[in-house]
Structure formats: C-alpha cells, structure tokens
Amino acid sequence: HVDVMSFGFKHGLPENADMVLDVRILPNPYYVPDMRARTGRDEDVRRYVLDGGDAHEFMDKARGMLEFLLPRYAKTGRARFTLAVGCTGGQHRSVAMAHALSEIIRELGYQVAESHRDMTRERK
C-alpha cells in the first residue's frame, strides 16, 4: 500500500514520510491571479502545473524511480510506503503532482491512498 500526500514546506516536513519529492522547481500558480485561490485539484491549475516547466521530465524520472524502489520496499516486508510531495504552501503544485503520481503508482499495480495535508489551510 502506498500513501501519497501533498504538503507545504512552509508548514514543515511530514514526520512519517519515507520519501520526499520537492516540486518547487515547477511554475507556481500562486502568482497567477485567477489561480491563486484555487488548488491543484482544479483542472486549469493542474494543467498549468503538469504542462509547465520541467513537469514532464520530472514525472518521467519519478516514474522510473518508483518502478525501481516500490518492489524493493515491498520485498522488505513493509506494508506501507509514504511518498510526500511538497511545494511552498501545499495548495497548487504539490497537490497536482501528488495526484499525478498517485495515478502512476496505481498503474504500477499498487493500492494508493491520496491525501493533501495543507491544501485547505488559509492562504496568507
């Protein structure tokens, strides 16, 4: 079973993460006025993140890493693996990327639970 969670670095690292991916290198929808109040669950925000910057290459490399690591973690007898995906506030980039990574992990044959720790925090 794989838990995929999004979070914001400004709110602290998740304590239970086995692996942390930092997506702050991707274009930030926070700076697009029409997207600021939305989240990575909204289709236009998701497209902005997934189609911008180095997102495609990031996803290709993450897929390769997960294809390599997940079966090896499973062989250790671990019942759960937690992947945390972080951006600055935890509302846009990390949410979109965590969702996309969850889909990849499902395609690889694993059960996935997706959560978004900081998505509903009040924006400042």
Side-chain angles (χ1 to χ4, degrees), residues 1-7 13-22 65-66 69-70 73-74 76 78-86 98 101-102 105 110-117:
H1 186 86
V2 180
D3 293 316
V4 179
M5 72 177 323
S6 68
F7 73 97
L13 287 167
E15 292 182 20
N16 62 335
D18 295 303
M19 178 183 295
V20 175
L21 296 178
D22 183 347
M65 183 173 51
L66 291 166
L69 289 175
L70 290 177
Y73 271 98
T76 68
R78 295 176 56 134
R80 295 186 99 72
F81 176 83
T82 300
L83 172 63
V85 182
L101 288 165
S102 292
I105 294 165
Y110 296 90
Q111 293 180 359
V112 179
E114 183 180 330
S115 63
H116 305 285
R117 187 189 78 179

Side-chain angles (χ1 to χ4, degrees), residues 49-64:
V49 172
L50 296 176
D51 292 337
D54 294 319
H56 290 285
E57 187 173 356
F58 185 99
M59 292 301 289
D60 287 344
K61 291 183 182 305
R63 175 189 276 277

Side-chain angles (χ1 to χ4, degrees), residues 93-111:
R93 295 169 289 180
S94 63
V95 172
M97 295 296 280
H99 180 71
L101 288 165
S102 292
E103 291 176 346
I104 287 171
I105 294 165
R106 274 188 202 92
E107 289 172 10
L108 295 174
Y110 296 90
Q111 293 180 359

Side-chain angles (χ1 to χ4, degrees), residues 8-67:
F9 279 98
K10 74 179 186 178
H11 306 296
L13 287 167
E15 292 182 20
N16 62 335
D18 295 303
M19 178 183 295
V20 175
L21 296 178
D22 183 347
V23 297
R24 291 177 290 184
I25 62 163
L26 301 177
N28 192 347
Y30 178 84
Y31 296 109
V32 179
D34 291 344
M35 294 185 189
R36 181 175 287 191
R38 306 184 76 202
T39 74
R41 283 191 171 168
D42 294 302
E43 186 59 29
D44 60 336
V45 175
R46 185 183 344 232
R47 290 278 44 101
Y48 182 88
V49 172
L50 296 176
D51 292 337
D54 294 319
H56 290 285
E57 187 173 356
F58 185 99
M59 292 301 289
D60 287 344
K61 291 183 182 305
R63 175 189 276 277
M65 183 173 51
L66 291 166
E67 287 174 340

